[in-house]
Amino acid sequence: MEPVPMTRARTAFWSCAFLAVAGAALAAPVWSIAALLFTCVAIPLAVSVRGTPHHVRALFVPFRSAFGRPRPERILEHARQGQRH
């Protein structure tokens, strides 16, 4: 299986969530709010079927929080590379 395109999935999820809340606040038709909420439930389910629990967590939280903090060696390596330029 191909890896889950997390950026696209995260964008779709949060867009649907925002539109559902905005629709409820602006008195949109019930069927449109229900469709958006159904999509908000379907996206994490699809990600869990195609990916791992880490992918599902990455859907809700930023990348660094989902996959842990970068190793200190990497931070130092990037800092040294920045000083060379």
Side-chain angles (χ1 to χ4, degrees), residues 13-85:
F13 175 77
W14 288 111
S15 297
C16 288
F18 173 76
L19 288 173
V21 170
L26 297 174
V30 175
W31 63 267
S32 63
I33 297 170
L36 288 167
L37 291 175
F38 174 77
T39 306
C40 285
V41 171
I43 291 172
L45 288 175
V47 169
S48 68
V49 168
R50 294 274 312 222
T52 64
H54 295 292
H55 288 107
V56 177
R57 182 167 177 193
L59 187 63
F60 298 108
V61 294
F63 183 78
R64 278 193 162 170
S65 297
F67 292 102
R69 296 172 43 145
R71 294 187 308 232
E73 309 90 59
R74 289 275 191 152
I75 295 171
L76 292 174
E77 181 180 305
H78 289 295
R80 288 185 195 121
Q81 288 176 358
Q83 291 175 354
R84 289 183 200 159
H85 297 285

